[in-house]
Amino acid sequence: MRKKDLDLTKAETMSSAEIGRYLKDKEKSFCREYLADQNGTQAAIRAGYKPGKNNASAAVQAARMLRDPAVSAYRKALIRETLSDKDLTRENIGLKYAEILDRCMQKEAVKEFDRASGEWIETGEWQFNAKGATRALDGLVKLLGYAAPEKHEVQVSQSFESVIDEEDLNDG
């Protein structure tokens, strides 16, 4: 099977094995290696690509494969399968973040050690894990897509060249 015959519009529902039929063994190996440490150059070398001088050849191969839509689809399928094996669905991850947020927002009494009695005594102050709560909220925001940049459409009535030409006339 040839890579160009792969229907990328269906890739999200295809397994890594199905997508893998369209890739070379080295490309599949690169994806597995890349997922191990997210280092494209080293993944390419471990997958069998020649490093070249100062690893330049491997870096070029890694960059090419990371831009390749079929290789990217295979890598995403591997990630999907790994997450589903661990029951890490989008919904379960959201529930885990919410659980962490709840736990971090629980007030705990601040205690100090009393040397005279040898016991921990409440000070009357309360604290919560603000850092953990913030991280959990950040994760939820990203997971739910609230952090995505807003898209705005802009209509341009003049070409860039005409604006430059007008500025040249005004300067001259």
Side-chain angles (χ1 to χ4, degrees):
M1 297 183 161
R2 295 180 310 204
K3 197 186 302 187
K4 68 178 185 176
D5 295 331
L6 174 61
D7 184 359
L8 292 170
T9 61
K10 297 180 182 176
E12 284 194 24
T13 60
M14 296 172 71
S15 70
S16 63
E18 291 171 317
I19 297 170
R21 290 187 209 134
Y22 296 91
L23 301 179
K24 296 174 184 170
D25 288 340
K26 277 187 179 181
E27 291 172 322
K28 292 185 282 190
S29 180
F30 168 80
C31 289
R32 289 188 296 275
E33 294 295 337
Y34 183 76
L35 292 178
D37 63 5
Q38 305 284 298
N39 184 322
T41 301
Q42 292 303 312
I45 293 168
R46 291 190 304 266
Y49 290 93
K50 290 187 174 30
K53 187 175 183 179
N54 296 325
N55 294 337
S57 296
V60 168
Q61 287 296 332
R64 179 189 61 77
M65 285 186 283
L66 289 171
R67 287 190 312 268
D68 185 319
V71 173
S72 179
Y74 181 75
R75 195 174 71 244
K76 288 176 184 175
L78 288 174
I79 292 169
R80 253 192 337 268
E81 291 164 6
T82 300
L83 293 178
S84 70
D85 289 347
K86 296 181 183 341
D87 198 29
L88 291 176
T89 63
R90 186 178 183 88
E91 292 80 18
N92 285 344
I93 292 170
L95 290 172
K96 293 289 184 194
Y97 273 129
E99 183 181 313
I100 292 167
L101 177 62
D102 286 344
R103 217 176 308 135
C104 290
M105 293 298 292
Q106 291 176 359
K107 291 189 273 186
E108 292 182 20
V110 176
K111 296 181 180 182
E112 290 180 349
F113 187 73
D114 181 30
R115 291 183 183 199
S117 66
E119 295 179 1
W120 288 93
I121 300 173
E122 292 184 11
T123 64
E125 296 177 2
W126 295 86
Q127 69 181 13
F128 70 99
N129 183 348
K131 188 174 184 179
T134 302
R135 284 187 175 177
L137 274 174
D138 186 46
L140 273 170
V141 164
K142 288 177 183 173
L143 181 72
L144 297 172
Y146 296 143
E150 292 183 27
K151 295 180 182 178
H152 300 281
E153 287 189 31
V154 177
Q155 293 185 350
V156 179
S157 60
Q158 284 183 293
S159 70
F160 181 71
E161 290 80 15
S162 67
V163 171
I164 298 297
D165 290 341
E166 282 180 27
E167 285 182 12
D168 287 344
L169 290 174
N170 292 336
D171 290 338

